[in-house]
Amino acid sequence: MKVRIGLVAVGVLMALWGGWELLQSVDVRGLVRLPLWLGGAVVVDDFVLAPLTVVVGWLVVRWSHRPGAHRTVGVVRTTLLYVGITSLIALPLIVRQGTGANPTVLPRDYLRDWLLLEATIVVVGAVAYFTFSRVRASSGDIGGR
């Protein structure tokens, strides 16, 4: 019990210290824009990303109910997962670069690099898909004879 109270106290102190540092380092305009940005992130997540994820998931499930799909649905899901993760990581860099950021801080062309990465992921996924879709079912596979 004492350990929990100590951890809570440390957590509260760290949160207060972080809030103090935030107030000291960000100007008033930044403090006003911060809740707007966080609210916009919630709206985009709830009304764009979540429905898009549900629709893509529903389409993959509908597609996977065809005969022999058990060998390829994992490849498609994994490819979509990697495309989504890398897009979420790259999006802030791409958006920030478009606002005339300091070229010494963001010296690379993040849009081009992101597109090359996504193309590589899709090509590897397509190769794996066509490799696994052409494999004949063996006696150990589901539905194989």
Side-chain angles (χ1 to χ4, degrees), residues 8-28:
V8 167
V10 169
V12 168
L13 287 173
M14 289 181 75
L16 289 172
W17 177 66
W20 176 257
E21 288 294 322
L22 177 69
L23 291 174
Q24 296 299 319
S25 63
V26 178
D27 63 342
V28 175

Side-chain angles (χ1 to χ4, degrees), residues 71-107:
R71 289 187 297 276
T72 57
V73 71
V75 173
V76 171
R77 281 191 286 192
T78 303
T79 303
L80 290 173
L81 177 71
Y82 284 138
V83 165
I85 289 171
T86 54
S87 296
L88 287 175
I89 292 170
L91 187 62
L93 296 171
I94 293 169
V95 170
R96 177 73 174 125
Q97 192 173 31
T99 60
N102 184 352
T104 61
V105 176
L106 297 173

